[in-house]
Amino acid sequence: MTSPIEIVNMSPEDYRNRKVALITGITGQDGSYLAELLIEKGYQVHGIIRRSSSFNTGRIEHLYKDAHENPKMRLHHGDLTDSTCLVHIISKVLPTEIYNLGAQSHVKVSFDMSEYTADVDAVGTLRLLDAIRTCGLAHLVRFYQASTSELYGKVAEIPQSETTPFYPRSPYGVAKMYAYWITINYREAYDMYACNGILFNHESPRRGRTFVTRKITCAVASIHLGKQECLYLGNLDAKRDWGHARDYVEGMWRMLQQETADDFVLATGEMHTVREFVEKSFKATGKTIRWEGSAEEEVGIDDEGVVRVRVDPAYYRPTEVELLLGQPAKANEKLGWKRKVTFDELVEEMVKADLVGVAAGDVFN
């Protein structure tokens, strides 16, 4: 491992050629796909994980079982609420790239845990940026901040681009707005290479089961296998721009390979409702869903006349984001990035994976 003394005599080019990445949130959906991508590209990957009494590394288990077996992956215990540990880890690892994916990322939960969400998602980003400066790496490290389409909230225009005004509608969105602007502020104030990736919804079989897309595909698989009767959802008419997480982590990496730091929207440019996601998911198991009723009394009925979907107002958000549709033209042009997986392919992949997982009793994610 390179020592701080050796760093003093390195040029910025030599420093970057070491290809050492540090990922917060490495155990999550995006972190696991990003770790795979970076290892494939020859990086030494380090991840920050929170202490837990149970194993929480299921998504990266295939990458990391023992440091002796895969020296390309190292994990460090830490937390975005602990400045001291962040400084210690960064000074020890001396990363060339930092990807800040760690967050309390559930929008509905952010209303129940607003203070914690602000501490991790907003101030946590500030702590990480300050840790980079404290370690004397402000002009050497390239920093990626995971921003979100939830910044747009009550949208000012359709579609949303890098210049669309923000109007967040949740504590999560508000916390992420602080993180977005503090990243830009440090870029401008301290000449740091710091980027925001404004990513629209991106899913995969590794998505947590509390998120609506994975909740749907897991329930559809369980219903198909006779292990569940009905799926309960909130707003069926919410519209989102859904892509595959594997495509989006490539966009993150591309942002840090540019000559100058900038902010980019990653999106598919097409929009679908939660209702459509439900229909496509059931279709992947050979079932057709028809809808009857309205509002909270609306139900989804299968070919045999059995009610498989119901609305539960408990899942409504206090302030709803009705639609999100991204305009990825800037990323297409400057990064050469385009999504590869279509909406239909995404849904089918998730349902197939959950059919296997539910049948095996393995639904860890």
Side-chain angles (χ1 to χ4, degrees):
M1 184 177 290
T2 307
S3 71
I5 295 176
E6 291 175 293
I7 292 298
V8 174
N9 298 317
M10 275 190 179
S11 68
E13 292 75 18
D14 288 339
Y15 182 87
R16 277 194 49 74
N17 287 339
R18 293 167 48 245
K19 298 179 77 171
V20 179
L22 177 63
I23 304 172
T24 70
I26 195 171
T27 59
Q29 168 188 254
D30 293 5
S32 64
Y33 281 118
L34 180 60
E36 286 178 347
L37 175 72
L38 295 177
I39 288 173
E40 287 173 5
K41 291 185 177 295
Y43 283 72
Q44 170 80 46
V45 174
H46 294 260
I48 297 178
I49 61 171
R50 287 175 294 174
R51 167 72 176 86
S52 174
S53 59
S54 58
F55 288 108
N56 59 357
T57 55
R59 295 182 182 90
I60 55 172
E61 192 69 25
H62 61 297
L63 297 175
Y64 176 86
K65 291 184 179 179
D66 186 283
H68 303 94
E69 294 180 18
N70 188 359
K72 283 291 184 180
M73 170 80 85
R74 293 283 190 278
L75 298 181
H76 309 264
H77 283 108
D79 198 290
L80 287 168
T81 63
D82 188 336
S83 301
T84 304
C85 84
L86 295 176
V87 171
H88 173 71
I89 292 169
I90 291 172
S91 65
K92 180 181 177 181
V93 171
L94 296 172
T96 58
E97 297 173 5
I98 294 178
Y99 296 85
N100 185 29
L101 312 184
Q104 190 302 101
S105 58
H106 198 286
V107 176
K108 180 67 165 63
V109 171
S110 77
F111 285 96
D112 300 320
M113 302 179 67
S114 54
E115 182 180 345
Y116 175 76
T117 300
D119 194 20
V120 175
D121 299 10
V123 186
T125 303
L126 174 63
R127 293 187 185 104
L128 203 49
L129 288 164
D130 274 334
I132 295 170
R133 296 185 61 233
T134 299
C135 294
L137 301 174
H139 296 147
L140 294 174
V141 170
R142 295 193 171 189
F143 178 81
Y144 171 84
Q145 169 59 23
S147 288
T148 169
S149 57
E150 288 288 331
L151 292 171
Y152 298 116
K154 190 175 181 179
V155 298
E157 62 182 7
I158 304 171
Q160 297 89 54
S161 71
E162 292 83 1
T163 58
T164 302
F166 298 145
Y167 194 144
R169 297 267 283 172
S170 66
Y172 169 73
V174 172
K176 281 290 192 175
M177 188 162 77
Y178 175 88
Y180 173 90
W181 283 114
I182 201 64
T183 298
I184 292 176
N185 181 251
Y186 271 49
R187 180 170 75 211
E188 296 174 351
Y190 304 113
D191 196 27
M192 295 176 69
Y193 192 110
C195 297
N196 283 290
I198 307 174
L199 273 56
F200 280 67
N201 296 68
H202 46 290
E203 320 297 321
S204 76
R206 299 181 192 175
R207 187 60 137 156
R209 285 187 296 144
T210 59
F211 291 86
V212 67
T213 51
R214 183 75 194 290
K215 178 181 177 180
I216 291 168
T217 59
C218 197
V220 167
S222 297
I223 289 169
H224 182 73
L225 295 171
K227 297 187 177 185
Q228 184 173 330
E229 288 295 318
C230 188
L231 164 64
Y232 291 86
L233 295 169
N235 184 2
L236 293 170
D237 294 316
K239 299 175 182 177
R240 294 292 184 270
D241 183 326
W242 279 300
H244 197 297
R246 191 187 300 108
D247 291 343
Y248 286 54
V249 298
E250 181 188 344
M252 298 177 191
W253 175 77
R254 285 176 180 256
M255 288 181 208
L256 296 195
Q257 312 314 308
Q258 306 306 301
E259 187 173 336
T260 56
D262 204 351
D263 309 310
F264 295 90
V265 163
L266 297 186
T268 69
E270 63 181 55
M271 191 165 55
H272 302 273
T273 62
V274 172
R275 186 190 307 275
E276 288 178 75
F277 203 103
V278 171
E279 293 167 353
K280 295 283 186 182
S281 297
F282 275 103
K283 185 178 179 181
T285 64
K287 291 185 175 66
T288 301
I289 290 292
R290 59 184 173 84
W291 303 94
E292 291 186 3
S294 61
E296 296 173 9
E297 302 303 318
E298 186 170 14
V299 294
I301 303 170
D302 69 13
D303 304 305
E304 299 174 353
V306 180
V307 173
R308 295 302 190 186
V309 186
R310 292 185 185 275
V311 173
D312 184 348
Y315 294 120
Y316 290 159
R317 298 179 186 178
T319 46
E320 184 61 77
V321 174
E322 296 297 339
L323 69 89
L324 293 170
L325 175 64
Q327 169 53 272
K330 182 179 175 181
N332 295 165
E333 179 184 346
K334 294 191 174 183
L335 302 180
W337 178 88
K338 288 186 179 180
R339 69 91 179 263
K340 300 183 180 76
V341 181
T342 67
F343 177 72
D344 287 3
E345 290 168 342
L346 169 66
V347 175
E348 186 173 356
E349 180 184 340
M350 291 179 68
V351 173
K352 284 183 176 179
D354 276 328
L355 285 169
V356 173
V358 171
D362 178 19
V363 286
F364 166 78
N365 293 336

